[in-house]
Amino acid sequence: MEKRLSIIWNVTYKCPWKCKFCVMDAGSCGAPKKKELSLEEKLQICRNIDIPNVKVDLSGGEVMCDKTHLTLIDELSKKLGKEYVGISTSGFKIDKDEEIAKFLSTRVHDVEMTMDAIPGVHYCYREDAYHETAGNAAKNLKKAGIYTGLQTVLTREHMEHQELLIGLRDFMVENKIDEWSIIRYYPSGRGEHFKNLAMTEEENRNLVNKINNMCKGTGINLDIHYLLPGSKKAHQCRCVKKSIGILPDGNVTACFWGLDDSGSIKDSKFYLGNLLEQPLSKILESKNAMYWKSYCGGCPL
């Protein structure tokens, strides 16, 4: 199988939500609190992705807070091909506008939304309307024929209230959601202030086993995060060898989880360069990039 570098491009800090453990420290859909790039600068970054075999997933913040991102999505799709462009979103605007879903259906391969609970069920680390928005958007995306995924970041809340996971499974079956990504919780970004939500290896293993068992015979395609016990993927660090991140200012990070509580790169060892200033081919030849390419240790976080 052809190997592709996975690029998570956080295009904005803007977001309609104020999730307590946001990795990006994202916020209001109004003016961003940090400098962000213009559309033309983002298009230049698109042009500076000058290596073959990459897949780009646009995230945020919330991608749909800025309608100019539709132009960026269109350009990325033309450059890389629809199969190699994805979106991570809260479902904002997609939940009420089927035309956006139709637009995306011709330009991206997949759209994924984070859901910790089903619509109508309270989850104290997000606003109540968050999951309703994601749930409605998922239905519109499926209607448009888009490969639709849900992502759940496992926290101690799920271990103590496993009915949250059962509800999500039933929602996925009912709405024919294509994939369920189960992600390990990292106390990164604003999550640094909620280290209590992280679980032990044994607790993660037990919960992953229960998820596997509850999904047997449902047809749900489970994607277990590579650093979770029970994952069938290799457990080695993926920094630069398999994935990188781009921040809203164009800075490139070896680890898109390695952010501080203001959404900035938390350690200089993760900084690779700025994609507005250099093409990706040069950035991947930098000293830090070469370090991560040869790094054989465990997760640096």
Side-chain angles (χ1 to χ4, degrees):
M1 181 179 289
E2 186 179 33
K3 293 183 178 179
R4 289 187 172 263
L5 180 68
S6 175
I7 301 176
I8 307 298
W9 184 359
N10 294 298
V11 290
T12 182
Y13 290 108
K14 297 177 185 176
C15 188
W17 315 105
K18 191 70 174 177
C19 301
K20 293 180 180 179
F21 48 27
C22 178
V23 173
M24 287 298 297
D25 190 33
S28 170
C29 252
K33 58 185 175 181
K34 304 184 185 79
K35 180 182 181 299
E36 292 192 10
L37 304 180
S38 66
L39 173 61
E40 182 49 46
E41 289 172 321
K42 291 170 185 174
L43 292 174
Q44 182 58 49
I45 284 180
C46 177
R47 292 189 285 271
N48 280 349
I49 299 175
D50 65 338
I51 65 170
N53 301 332
V54 299
K55 182 179 188 298
V56 176
D57 287 284
L58 294 184
S59 187
E62 171 50 61
V63 178
M64 294 303 161
C65 265
D66 188 339
K67 65 181 181 180
T68 67
H69 289 149
L70 297 178
T71 300
L72 178 60
I73 291 167
D74 189 48
E75 289 301 309
L76 276 170
S77 186
K78 290 175 182 175
K79 179 184 178 72
L80 303 177
K82 171 185 170 180
E83 291 300 302
Y84 304 111
V85 180
I87 307 278
S88 292
T89 174
S90 66
F92 181 64
K93 292 190 176 179
I94 303 172
D95 64 322
K96 296 178 179 177
D97 190 345
E98 293 185 16
E99 292 305 311
I100 296 178
K102 291 177 183 177
F103 173 90
L104 295 175
S105 72
T106 62
R107 292 164 175 86
V108 306
H109 173 263
D110 56 273
V111 178
E112 185 174 67
M113 287 154 294
T114 300
M115 287 183 69
D116 318 274
I118 61 172
V121 173
H122 179 66
Y123 187 80
C124 61
Y125 295 94
R126 299 197 193 272
E127 296 168 58
D128 284 344
Y130 179 93
H131 293 111
E132 180 180 358
T133 299
N136 289 336
K139 296 173 184 178
N140 283 342
L141 291 165
K142 284 296 298 180
K143 185 177 179 180
I146 298 176
Y147 189 90
T148 304
L150 298 185
Q151 178 183 116
T152 299
V153 181
L154 289 187
T155 68
R156 192 164 295 280
E157 285 287 307
H158 294 106
M159 184 182 72
E160 296 175 355
H161 303 282
Q162 293 180 26
E163 66 274 11
L164 296 173
L165 297 170
I166 295 170
L168 285 166
R169 177 204 60 188
D170 294 345
F171 176 88
M172 295 192 68
V173 171
E174 179 183 352
N175 292 284
K176 297 181 173 59
I177 304 301
D178 297 290
E179 185 170 281
W180 193 8
S181 297
I182 306 298
I183 307 296
R184 186 184 189 117
Y185 176 76
Y186 289 99
S188 300
R190 289 201 293 259
E192 286 185 350
H193 304 293
F194 297 95
K195 294 181 180 179
N196 60 298
L197 291 177
M199 294 183 289
T200 66
E201 287 296 292
E202 187 61 26
E203 289 169 335
N204 274 314
R205 180 177 292 106
N206 289 338
L207 206 49
V208 168
N209 286 340
K210 289 179 180 178
I211 290 170
N212 273 311
N213 287 332
M214 74 169 63
C215 290
K216 285 181 179 177
T218 64
I220 294 174
N221 180 21
L222 271 180
D223 180 21
I224 307 295
H225 187 259
Y226 75 100
L227 286 178
L228 275 173
S231 174
K232 297 178 181 178
K233 301 175 183 177
H235 295 285
Q236 288 81 11
C237 171
R238 298 190 171 198
C239 289
V240 181
K241 293 186 284 294
K242 293 188 177 182
S243 65
I244 58 171
I246 307 172
L247 300 184
D249 59 2
N251 283 338
V252 182
T253 174
C255 178
F256 44 80
W257 292 101
L259 304 178
D260 61 24
D261 62 1
S262 67
S264 301
I265 298 174
K266 70 187 303 179
D267 192 312
S268 59
K269 67 184 179 183
F270 293 129
Y271 176 73
L272 303 180
N274 188 287
L275 199 47
L276 187 61
E277 300 167 359
Q278 289 181 294
L280 185 57
S281 58
K282 292 295 184 183
I283 287 174
L284 293 179
E285 294 174 354
S286 67
K287 182 179 179 180
N288 276 4
M290 298 308 293
Y291 166 80
W292 289 110
K293 284 180 182 180
S294 61
Y295 177 76
C296 298
C299 176
L301 298 178

